[in-house]
Amino acid sequence: MARRATQATKPGFRQTDVSEARTPPLLPGDYDPADYATVVMRSAGEAGVSPLLAMTVLHNEAYKPHHPLLERLWQWWKPGASFGVTNMHRATFERVQRTHGLPGRWQDLRDDPAFAIRAAVLHLKDLDQSLPQRHVRRYTRDELLALGYNTGERNMRAFARGVPPGPMARSYLRRFRVHRNRAAKVLAACGTPSEPAPE
């Protein structure tokens, strides 16, 4: 079944090439975020976001099945669930949509991985613009942006001031640090140099 490619209305965004963004597999164990490395690199480049940050977030969000059928069933059971390979909630998508003039609907995220990645990258860009340049030294900027992706902008800014994250945010941060090297290897295999992982 062919899927409709989505395209942002703002200049600088090319139409999604659906051949680079296949539907996630039905079996959760067969899903690999590396399958979307080309889309991540292109979307991150267009938005001015670190491809390594975006790829690491995509790895972090791979904790549940992303096949559209399974996501529909999940939403039936839990109406407020997040959608797509980037696990984006409706309110976040609608904020990104208003800011960047994205077409489509929140529900399209589950059917179009490239669109979901583009929306996530734009959200990371917005978070970066709202994060103060100066922040506590225990986190890198990318770590704070990942925490913002997971917990929201207000919490991210609090963590940047030194407020300690809660258990779920700490778990997300631990996984982000583990996945960063894996994401860097994926990008390197695609021929994209990425900044080294923090020590």
Side-chain angles (χ1 to χ4, degrees):
M1 178 175 81
R3 286 181 289 117
R4 178 179 56 82
T6 52
Q7 180 180 9
T9 57
K10 299 253 178 169
F13 284 91
R14 296 191 305 254
Q15 183 159 336
T16 298
D17 181 354
V18 294
S19 67
E20 293 178 348
R22 68 181 182 89
T23 300
L26 188 59
L27 296 176
D30 293 339
Y31 173 68
D32 186 355
D35 293 340
Y36 302 100
T38 303
V39 177
V40 168
M41 290 185 301
R42 188 180 64 224
S43 295
E46 290 172 352
V49 169
S50 160
L52 181 56
L53 168 63
M55 194 73 219
T56 308
V57 167
L58 193 62
H59 275 82
N60 253 36
E61 298 299 335
Y63 62 88
K64 71 180 178 84
H66 290 301
H67 189 278
L69 173 62
L70 298 175
E71 290 207 331
R72 281 177 170 81
L73 292 172
W74 182 253
Q75 193 196 25
W76 176 80
W77 181 69
K78 189 176 180 184
S82 55
F83 267 158
V85 295
T86 57
N87 287 320
M88 185 171 279
H89 287 280
R90 184 176 205 139
T92 302
F93 172 76
E94 290 174 351
R95 191 165 49 252
V96 171
Q97 183 182 44
R98 284 191 304 272
T99 303
H100 297 280
L102 286 178
R105 306 166 304 143
W106 169 62
Q107 292 88 341
D108 295 335
L109 298 177
R110 69 187 168 206
D111 299 312
D112 188 343
F115 184 54
I117 290 166
R118 176 162 294 155
V121 164
L122 291 172
H123 181 43
L124 287 167
K125 177 180 183 171
D126 295 342
L127 289 170
D128 187 54
Q129 291 173 346
S130 71
L131 182 62
Q133 288 301 316
R134 295 173 57 98
H135 54 79
V136 294
R137 297 176 64 182
R138 76 177 70 114
Y139 309 116
T140 67
R141 190 167 187 87
D142 277 3
E143 288 172 349
L144 286 168
L145 293 172
L147 285 169
Y149 190 89
N150 178 246
T151 67
E153 179 184 338
R154 181 180 295 175
N155 287 326
M156 174 190 73
R157 292 172 66 87
F159 302 150
R161 291 191 309 269
V163 174
M168 290 181 70
R170 287 197 307 271
S171 173
Y172 193 87
L173 182 59
R174 278 193 300 272
R175 287 186 286 120
F176 181 84
R177 288 170 173 165
V178 168
H179 289 146
R180 191 165 174 87
N181 286 331
R182 184 178 303 166
K185 289 176 184 173
V186 167
L187 294 175
C190 292
T192 299
S194 57
E195 60 268 26
E199 297 181 7

